[in-house]
Amino acid sequence: MARIIMCGSFKGGVGKTASSWNLAYSLAEMGKRVLAVDFDSQANLTTCFGIEDPAAVPVTIGHLMMNRLEDEEMPDLSEFIQSRNSVDFISSSMMLSAVDSKLRMEMGSEKMLTGILEPLRGYLSIARNIDD
């Protein structure tokens, strides 16, 4: 059974990114399948995974949320799940800031992330083309 673990705080500089990154790799080392989601428009976790230009990533969590807002079809998993050293992840970018401002006017926006992640609970780790 899949479990969701969140490291979050409104305060900056408290170690959310470092904790998330270390937890993801520790769980992967224990043989667990891990999907880390960078939910920060500054994309610090994305850069920890080696993505030097998050703005160049074609599909990020911001794009997925925008698709949900505009009732567009979700892309295939291989388009947004990347992999590094046995940890799968969904990148972030500044696109998340644009989504954040739109979310304030949407009814049910608190359920949007659940709608994106819930179908991924049983996903097969297919994005291994960038792995290791």
Side-chain angles (χ1 to χ4, degrees):
M1 166 169 229
R3 295 178 191 219
I4 296 174
I5 301 170
M6 185 194 89
C7 297
S9 174
F10 286 113
K11 183 164 179 359
V14 296
K16 299 178 296 284
T17 299
S19 295
S20 298
W21 191 62
N22 285 312
L23 181 60
Y25 277 111
S26 295
L27 289 169
E29 257 184 36
M30 293 171 57
K32 307 291 184 187
R33 286 191 317 181
V34 177
L35 175 65
V37 180
D38 188 353
F39 208 67
D40 177 9
S41 60
Q42 293 178 358
N44 289 324
L45 186 60
T46 298
T47 56
C48 284
F49 282 114
I51 307 296
E52 292 183 25
D53 184 10
V57 177
V59 182
T60 66
I61 191 67
H63 293 93
L64 297 176
M65 293 189 75
M66 191 64 81
N67 283 6
R68 293 287 292 213
L69 278 169
E70 297 175 353
D71 291 323
E72 292 181 10
E73 189 174 321
M74 296 300 277
D76 186 67
L77 295 176
S78 62
E79 294 183 49
F80 61 88
I81 295 179
Q82 299 183 59
S83 215
R84 292 286 193 280
N85 302 318
S86 301
V87 175
D88 294 337
F89 64 97
I90 300 176
S91 298
S92 184
S93 68
M94 287 299 293
M95 173 70 151
L96 198 55
S97 291
V99 172
D100 185 41
S101 62
K102 276 188 117 174
L103 279 176
R104 294 165 204 247
M105 296 178 273
E106 285 294 317
M107 292 288 289
S109 62
E110 66 280 356
K111 300 278 187 193
M112 185 173 298
L113 186 58
T114 300
I116 293 169
L117 297 181
E118 190 64 35
L120 303 179
R121 277 187 182 268
Y123 83 100
L124 297 174
S125 186
I126 60 169
R128 294 284 183 219
N129 56 343
I130 308 175
D131 195 29
D132 302 339

